[in-house]
Amino acid sequence: MTYGISLDIGTSGTRGHAVELETGKIISTSVTECHPLPGANIMDHLTFCINVGTDVAHKILIDTVNKLIATMGVDLKQVEKVSICGNPIQLSLFQGIPVDDLAFAGENAHKARGIQEQKRDAGVFSAVDVGLNVKDGCELYVPPSIRHEIGADALAMMYKSGFLEQKENCLVTDYGTNAEMALKIGDEIYTGSAAAGPAMEGQSIKCGMLAGPGAISDLEYDFKWICKVLDDDIIPKDGDKVDFGLEIIEPNGPMHGKAKGITGTGVIAAVAAAMDDHLWKKGKLKTSDGKLHLQDGVYIDSHDIAEALKAIGAMRAGHFTLLEHAGIKFSELDIMYMAGASGTYVDAVKARQVGLLPPSCNTIYQYGNTSLAMATDILKDPELLDELQDIANGIRANHIMFAGDKIFEQIYMQELAVCDEGMSMEMYNKNNAMVGIQELPKPKGTPTVHRMVQRDIPDLGEKGMYILHDIGTELRGHMEGCIGCKKCENECPEHALTVEAGNEIVVKTKNCLGTACYRCQFSCPKKVYKYDNLKLTF
């Protein structure tokens, strides 16, 4: 019996299938609980890689992938093919390709720093040479990137959703930390990527978690809000009933007592509930303790909702920017495709209500993890790589870099004003009109929603799903002048840091928020803590 392994190397973690090559049957599924590198978004991982070197970042990621494939319940000596998918930075880290050209965008920046642009076309490589614990001769299949920050995962959402075959104007978005998106107008495709942040994956949220067993993934209204909690098969089932206004929780449903946290789609549902119940005003929750209590001790607070609204704002600014560059009005866009775990579990009606998709979209298709699905397709048909390369070549001309784009900057500033200051939508549209940007219409009617899958990974295989927790490594170091006050340890929001004997600082990379945080360094009363002085251990 011979096997293949398909992998989605994501910003929030890695997901994989073991596949029987003769039949194409999925045997098992394994996922990591998070990413092994410090940070909760793509820029954090990129910065870490630049600081410590490509070799070190590559080693940490490959160590995690090797641990993951060892849990899949197949003989790795019988693995003949491995296929991967992900964004350009994650796939570069996986392959050990330098990422300087991704960190410093633009021809002038490359010339000034002597940076050579790397090729990221489709190809077949040696899996052993990359560092995977498989037999000699095992082939590694890598699909192409489109351009810079738009990679194979974006290609996957277009290819697997049916977006490319759609004749009408349509938009597709992979709802994750990097928020890849594409707009199709006739034969023209416009692409972009908005750094939405980790809230969409349930990270940087007090009780947040990735989509997995025990995650609150939605709230359904039936006189009270019913918590929808993912069961062991990652299917949402009824949990407790909640009245946020009266602050009452009633035991209910098969998932009572089984919630462990809340994922990004649950946070979106909570945002919609807070707005429906008029509990969110000028950046604060108007409950007795500033929290929305769900079930089993899981809650979200004002900070969590603000994080979610920033992610929503980045995505809406991205959608707005694509439409403006294409010269299309919202009224001319009706069809929306949603991909990724968040695009699967989120209530599309609530998502449209809060701004995650354009208000004009009345036909919505929800797909699962298209990145893992396409990697699995490549295992079954390696010649698909050539087709994907042709598609990537055809859409490279219409990529829009949101960083530095005046339209994106204008819209995102408006979104922050709505989130933090409670700016009205009337003023929002008035400010946009002053710089020649179209009005954002209000959602009308109830959209038609097509849920194409029950869960983001439709087929878990006969052996089911395994969640890997043992990933990452540690950063260690002594800071000259440290007095051992442990303020850095107490200030760490993710409990990633401990001060051990001899005042040795120990940071677990998988939990650390990295450059997005630095609260440990900022909190040092003696100003001797230097995060970049910590050294890696394996």
Side-chain angles (χ1 to χ4, degrees):
M1 191 70 67
T2 58
Y3 301 99
I5 292 173
S6 53
L7 298 167
D8 165 32
I9 313 294
T11 304
S12 60
T14 297
R15 302 154 182 86
H17 284 317
V19 179
E20 189 178 282
L21 291 178
E22 286 80 359
T23 64
K25 180 181 178 183
I26 294 173
I27 303 299
S28 62
T29 300
S30 292
V31 304
T32 63
E33 66 172 350
C34 59
H35 198 285
L37 298 186
N41 61 56
I42 195 69
M43 294 310 299
D44 294 335
H45 298 163
L46 186 58
T47 302
F48 179 80
C49 182
I50 294 296
N51 288 342
V52 305
T54 300
D55 290 347
V56 174
H58 166 72
K59 183 177 179 181
I60 295 173
L61 183 54
I62 287 295
D63 177 69
T64 291
V65 173
N66 278 325
K67 288 178 179 178
L68 187 76
I69 65 178
T71 69
M72 292 183 173
V74 299
D75 184 355
L76 296 183
K77 294 179 181 178
Q78 301 302 315
V79 173
E80 294 189 347
K81 299 176 182 178
V82 176
S83 61
I84 61 174
C85 194
N87 66 52
I89 292 172
Q90 300 299 343
L91 294 195
S92 294
L93 294 180
F94 181 90
Q95 292 180 267
I97 297 172
V99 295
D100 305 63
D101 61 322
L102 301 177
F104 303 99
E107 186 176 342
N108 291 337
H110 290 181
K111 285 182 178 180
R113 293 172 174 83
I115 295 172
Q116 182 177 353
E117 188 165 347
Q118 302 293 323
K119 285 191 66 175
R120 295 181 175 86
D121 290 336
V124 182
F125 307 89
S126 165
V128 173
D129 287 351
V130 168
L132 294 182
N133 294 335
V134 291
K135 69 176 185 177
D136 287 338
C138 179
E139 294 180 319
L140 172 66
Y141 297 95
V142 182
S145 292
I146 297 172
R147 182 179 170 187
H148 193 65
E149 59 190 22
I150 296 292
D153 52 350
L155 193 56
M157 73 180 180
M158 298 182 215
Y159 179 80
K160 292 297 294 181
S161 66
F163 168 88
L164 293 172
E165 288 75 44
Q166 180 60 247
K167 301 301 182 185
E168 298 183 41
N169 297 342
C170 57
L171 181 69
V172 61
T173 300
D174 189 332
Y175 286 90
T177 59
N178 209 36
E180 295 87 357
M181 55 187 67
L183 173 68
K184 187 171 184 287
I185 308 296
D187 293 330
E188 291 291 309
I189 295 176
Y190 299 80
T191 61
S193 177
M200 286 305 300
E201 300 282 2
Q203 296 179 297
S204 294
I205 300 295
K206 297 291 195 306
C207 297
M209 63 182 289
L210 296 178
I216 297 174
S217 64
D218 195 11
L219 297 169
E220 185 177 276
Y221 191 75
D222 185 12
F223 298 103
K224 291 184 176 68
W225 293 101
I226 301 173
C227 296
K228 307 293 284 190
V229 185
L230 300 181
D231 65 11
D232 289 340
D233 293 320
I234 328 182
I235 302 295
K237 298 288 180 63
D238 286 352
D240 293 351
K241 292 184 177 181
V242 183
D243 187 314
F244 293 121
L246 297 177
E247 302 185 31
I248 296 172
I249 302 174
E250 299 177 2
N252 178 68
M255 299 306 291
H256 167 65
K258 297 182 180 180
K260 300 176 183 176
I262 184 167
T263 194
T265 57
V267 175
I268 296 304
V271 169
M275 291 179 174
D276 281 350
D277 293 350
H278 306 290
L279 296 174
W280 177 259
K281 294 181 180 178
K282 294 187 177 181
K284 297 291 182 182
L285 277 169
K286 303 301 179 180
T287 56
S288 61
D289 62 356
K291 298 177 180 177
L292 291 182
H293 292 275
L294 300 162
Q295 69 171 77
D296 306 323
V298 178
Y299 68 89
I300 67 168
D301 60 15
S302 296
H303 169 270
D304 297 333
I305 289 188
E307 287 295 304
L309 287 175
K310 289 174 185 176
I312 292 167
M315 292 192 187
R316 182 148 65 185
H319 294 158
F320 232 124
T321 303
L322 292 183
L323 287 170
E324 288 289 304
H325 278 275
I328 294 297
K329 300 295 185 184
F330 279 102
S331 59
E332 299 174 86
L333 179 67
D334 178 71
I335 299 171
M336 181 76 192
Y337 294 93
M338 306 176 74
S342 295
T344 303
Y345 295 117
V346 73
D347 182 312
V349 177
K350 295 190 190 81
R352 192 182 73 153
Q353 175 187 341
V354 301
L356 267 179
L357 58 160
S360 60
C361 290
N362 285 302
T363 305
I364 303 168
Y365 297 89
Q366 292 181 275
Y367 283 82
N369 185 324
T370 51
S371 185
L372 181 58
M374 192 175 80
T376 305
D377 285 350
I378 293 169
L379 276 185
K380 299 174 183 178
D381 179 17
E383 292 184 4
L384 177 58
L385 284 180
D386 293 332
E387 180 183 347
L388 295 173
Q389 185 66 64
D390 289 342
I391 294 171
N393 291 341
I395 59 179
R396 280 181 171 150
N398 292 318
H399 178 69
I400 300 163
M401 291 288 292
F402 292 160
D405 185 272
K406 295 298 183 183
I407 298 171
F408 184 88
E409 181 180 341
Q410 166 69 21
I411 298 298
Y412 191 56
M413 287 177 59
Q414 300 291 85
E415 293 291 335
L416 292 179
V418 171
C419 169
D420 297 334
E421 302 166 18
M423 186 176 74
S424 69
M425 294 310 295
E426 181 181 5
M427 182 59 68
Y428 179 106
N429 283 324
K430 182 178 180 180
N431 289 342
N432 286 345
M434 290 174 64
V435 293
I437 296 176
Q438 66 178 295
E439 178 178 302
L440 179 69
K442 294 179 180 179
K444 292 183 180 179
T446 301
T448 301
V449 179
H450 303 275
R451 283 187 174 269
M452 310 307 291
V453 293
Q454 277 191 303
R455 57 187 171 217
D456 65 317
I457 304 176
D459 185 356
L460 299 179
E462 60 187 29
K463 294 186 178 182
M465 186 175 75
Y466 180 88
I467 301 175
L468 177 65
H469 302 284
D470 178 24
I471 64 173
T473 183
E474 292 178 340
L475 301 169
R476 288 178 174 265
H478 290 87
M479 304 297 165
E480 185 176 351
C482 173
I483 60 175
C485 67
K486 295 191 176 184
K487 190 163 186 180
C488 54
E489 179 177 327
N490 296 329
E491 285 294 318
C492 179
E494 301 298 319
H495 308 292
L497 184 154
T498 55
V499 181
E500 296 189 349
N503 294 342
E504 183 178 25
I505 309 295
V506 181
V507 176
K508 294 186 181 298
T509 62
K510 74 171 186 177
N511 297 330
C512 177
L513 294 177
T515 56
C517 179
Y518 274 13
R519 281 171 61 174
C520 51
Q521 180 169 306
F522 297 148
S523 67
C524 179
K526 297 296 182 180
K527 306 303 178 187
V528 298
Y529 187 113
K530 303 297 180 185
Y531 182 91
D532 290 344
N533 288 348
L534 296 171
K535 303 299 181 184
L536 286 162
T537 61
F538 290 96

